[in-house]
Amino acid sequence: MTFFPEPVGVSFDDVSMSVALDDGRTITVPLAWYPRLSGADRTLLEAYELSPGGIHWDALDEDLAVEGMMAARVIFAPEARRAA
């Protein structure tokens, strides 16, 4: 069984999201990879909940797993592929 670090914080800038992990690492990914997040305003982005496995945005109906982020597994919209 593989264990992944837990998220302990999330921050945003205009084009990316950074997730601080409990092992000291930080994952930074482009918001363009996640269409629901890239189209959201700052208030909605900051209304997340952390869980042992990832991040949840109730108002955006979005869930991201740390495992997927670490493996860079994303579902690209065609325009996001060009932006990444």
Side-chain angles (χ1 to χ4, degrees):
M1 178 179 267
T2 303
F3 293 96
F4 289 90
E6 294 184 18
V8 295
V10 181
S11 61
F12 303 91
D13 63 25
D14 291 340
V15 296
S16 63
M17 172 179 60
S18 296
V19 180
L21 304 175
D22 67 354
D23 67 357
R25 289 183 282 178
T26 300
I27 302 169
T28 301
V29 295
L31 286 172
W33 286 5
Y34 307 101
R36 290 181 184 159
L37 299 182
S38 67
D41 66 31
R42 185 62 60 126
T43 302
L44 288 173
L45 287 176
E46 292 178 352
Y48 61 85
E49 298 173 24
L50 298 177
S51 68
I55 310 158
H56 172 72
W57 288 265
D58 192 50
L60 298 172
D61 191 29
E62 182 72 276
D63 293 281
L64 300 180
V66 169
E67 177 182 3
M69 292 176 71
M70 291 180 73
R73 288 197 308 252
V74 296
I75 298 172
F76 286 104
E79 62 277 4
R81 282 192 198 113
R82 289 187 290 275

